[in-house]
Amino acid sequence: MSHTTPLSSGNGYGFNSRAPLKIAIIGGGLVGSLAALSFARRGHEVHLYEYREDIRNAELVQGRSINLALSQRGRKALAEVDLEQEVLATAIPMRGRMLHDIKGNRTVVLYDPCTHQCLYSVGRKYLNEVLLNAGEKYANIHRHFEHKLNYVNLSEGRMEFKRMQTKEVVEDFADLVVGCDGAFSSVRQQLVKKPGFNYSQEYIEHGYLELCIPAKNGEFQMPENYLHIWPRDEFMMIALPNQDKSFTVTLSMPFKVFATIQTTADLLKFFHKYYADAVPLIGEERLIKDFFKTRPQHLVSIKCYPYHYGSKALVLGDAAHAMVPYYGQGLNAGMEDCTQLMSLFNQTSLSTAEVLQQFTELRWRDAHAICDLAMYNYVEMRDLTKRASFRCRKWLDTLLFRWFPSAWVPLYNSVSFSSMPYSKCIANRKWQDKLLNNVLISTVLAVIAIIIAIYFGVF
Amino acid sequence: MSHTTPLSSGNGYGFNSRAPLKIAIIGGGLVGSLAALSFARRGHEVHLYEYREDIRNAELVQGRSINLALSQRGRKALAEVDLEQEVLATAIPMRGRMLHDIKGNRTVVLYDPCTHQCLYSVGRKYLNEVLLNAGEKYANIHRHFEHKLNYVNLSEGRMEFKRMQTKEVVEDFADLVVGCDGAFSSVRQQLVKKPGFNYSQEYIEHGYLELCIPAKNGEFQMPENYLHIWPRDEFMMIALPNQDKSFTVTLSMPFKVFATIQTTADLLKFFHKYYADAVPLIGEERLIKDFFKTRPQHLVSIKCYPYHYGSKALVLGDAAHAMVPYYGQGLNAGMEDCTQLMSLFNQTSLSTAEVLQQFTELRWRDAHAICDLAMYNYVEMRDLTKRASFRCRKWLDTLLFRWFPSAWVPLYNSVSFSSMPYSKCIANRKWQDKLLNNVLISTVLAVIAIIIAIYFGVF
């Protein structure tokens, strides 16, 4: 149902004096539907193209809906389109990590024992639906589902789509083409061909596979307010709670380890050895069925520069900076792209080309930084969480955070619970490391001095 | 003119027992035509596809033929197809760098004062012709010029070409598709879409533009047996001699500096300031004409992994590892790909898939290493060559090389005048740096000890 475009939105942006553009958004996922909404609220003519069917009509498979960890940056972006409360109302707060050791012992490590901030587990489908539904209020959003982008001429803003149902090819033109079409973006594929466009894609040696811990008697089988982790050095498993009281379980390990599991017996032996406590929760029958149903999927980290092409094209979200999923920041970073882009679009003194240029310059260091952090956190989650030195540092960080909440924000907290630029989060952590090292060295030297003093009978 | 395939080639390889494959080579440039020749000598059915016309029928513009620095690795590859002597016969040896300072003073830095090895300036067109002509002897090479690859299905080895003249689309199948189609390879474009394929393209901030120092009275205007360099910190110019007694001059500088030169007056002011000695050699009129004729070109460094897809596809040369041109190793590395690939194809116990897999594993570290070295040498050529510390190190390297010719091979010499794997060249240099640092520290400590000893009257 479409209404007329509100001339003034309720969040204080108002209808700015920038001339309305015809904007084509490629990809109607989370970032695409948020971008469509954000542009529509500013009076632009938005065409949202998505190659799949409308997700609101798609079937939801129980326990298999991929869930996401929503944190500060995503919440902020939702707040700016007045949807934060609606999303949080049904999200499941996760206050910390619940670590499962190989014997089945569980330990809780809170994300933020001081100010009690937490992550929120939200269903991808649900979030997408909320964003699409919110867009229905705007007559200036035109949705085109089952339209696959065949080709885009970036200089002309000319696009060719194939209608998935009829195979018919249709053409459209836009002043600005915004690629929100994910890690394997077709829009970016054209950017990659432009001289001066830097690009890298790096696959990790680990694949992932999704399993499910179903609800039992209508209840969660594990405490639901945690992100569950089974760290096992070279591999690991995590589980996030779903609205339907199931958990979506993600098993990550090197492809070569996946390759060693060929039979039901291999699988059960492996699970009983490494994830014994999870076997009764998943159920052997379901484990076997889900494990062998699909092949492990690849994980890729993508960086590029710039994100735009003149005044005609832009990539956002995974299309600009896909990352491995181990910091839970993929969605949050993509949504923060929208926040930052819109803050530039609000500056009416800037031309579209200037907005896009400034967006690239504002964003690239932080996008590269979060890609690097996600890669680092993969090591932390499967390995460091088990180490005493990591827990000791965590304890020290928490203590200092409690004493100096504005001066000492631990890395994880600055990334997940603040809007500090990602690159600054890293710089901040480096500064903390340096300080702690200096304190450690000074302490050791002081202790040596005291021992010498005692030895020579000064005291 | 085609003859029948010789059953046994003259270089000792013979016709091995590997079943002949139908091999499609995409790109008839230097690496493509060398690969075609090498496969044909082993009895394979080779289809060489090139989107341009036959270079042997193309017009040569005087002084504008791009020349290349042929060194050890390229020579070795040519020797293996019995063409080294033919190529060297007309190549111009370059014994060292001739540095032009801002006042026009010239200094010679020999590449190898000990064993007198040198680089050879060869014309790209000439070398390509020699390779294509050599291929004419083999009835099992089928040349298809003006065929542009539209699409390749790597799993099926199915290719679609557009005939440039008729626009007709033709299809072909091959057991193995070898992409020798340069930095912007269409074959690699399909590899990039495969999960697990790592790829990066990095453009540098400097562009380049070609100029010409023509022959004068039928003679070279500068000593011809040198690679001429005008190092100017942020930018530089180089010149290589051509057969027709001209020099091809390459001006490299940041795009932003190019952008400051808009008028004839800007250009002449710039050249008289930085390259005063070159102005009369190029001639003002020709300088103005050539400079404004084309826009500066981009330079890109490309790395990827793996180089193959199953038993069906492979990329070689710039398609696998394009590099910035400052080590003069692009051609040599591409030709060395052929040497190494053929040494694996000679092992008849290996299946095609194993050959390709082993080629990737054998080659990727070295290909990445030479891309990095080329980037490093850019800094060296425009900056370090002017510094006293660089010249001092060069002198020390030469001295040690003279004393210990097998134990102390300087970096440049190991890269250009040996077949040491590129990654080992870097490791070797690191070992040398460490040793020299240790010697330096020991010397300083010894001097201090002597001074103290003298001070306290030990002597």
Side-chain angles (χ1 to χ4, degrees), chain B residues 91-151:
Chain B
I92 302 170
M94 298 182 292
R95 302 187 216 294
R97 296 161 169 170
M98 184 171 276
L99 305 175
H100 298 239
D101 77 9
I102 203 154
K103 291 178 190 153
N105 300 318
R106 299 173 180 184
T107 319
V108 166
V109 183
L110 293 179
Y111 287 124
D112 179 7
C114 309
T115 54
H116 308 293
Q117 296 189 85
C118 53
L119 306 181
Y120 290 87
S121 179
V122 290
R124 177 187 292 275
K125 183 176 191 292
Y126 170 75
L127 186 52
N128 210 159
E129 285 173 356
V130 168
L131 288 161
L132 288 171
N133 287 339
E136 295 285 353
K137 293 196 203 99
Y138 294 84
N140 53 336
I141 299 186
H142 311 274
R143 281 157 293 271
H144 310 272
F145 292 101
E146 300 182 57
H147 277 67
K148 185 174 190 298
L149 183 72
N150 269 350
Y151 173 73

Side-chain angles (χ1 to χ4, degrees), chain A residues 325-337:
Chain A
Y326 304 104
Y327 225 113
Q329 283 292 310
L331 162 69
N332 292 285
M335 289 191 147
E336 194 179 53
D337 286 351

Side-chain angles (χ1 to χ4, degrees), chain A residues 1-6 32-38 40-41 46 48 56 81 83 86 127-143:
Chain A
M1 194 176 67
S2 293
H3 299 283
T4 51
T5 311
S33 52
L34 174 62
L37 194 55
S38 307
R41 289 162 68 101
V46 177
L48 181 62
R56 292 168 295 182
V81 290
L83 293 174
E86 184 177 345
L127 187 51
N128 210 159
E129 285 172 355
V130 168
L131 287 163
L132 288 171
N133 287 340
E136 294 285 353
K137 294 195 204 100
Y138 296 83
N140 53 336
I141 299 185
H142 311 275
R143 281 157 293 272

Side-chain angles (χ1 to χ4, degrees), chain A residues 184 189 191-204 298, chain B residues 184 189 191-204 298:
Chain A
F184 305 102
Q189 241 177 62
L191 282 174
V192 165
K193 293 179 187 169
K194 299 288 175 192
F197 188 79
N198 290 343
Y199 172 73
S200 78
Q201 63 183 43
E202 185 188 351
Y203 284 86
I204 60 173
H298 282 268
Chain B
F184 304 100
Q189 241 177 64
L191 282 173
V192 166
K193 293 179 186 168
K194 300 289 175 191
F197 187 80
N198 289 343
Y199 172 73
S200 77
Q201 63 183 43
E202 184 189 351
Y203 284 86
I204 59 173
H298 282 270

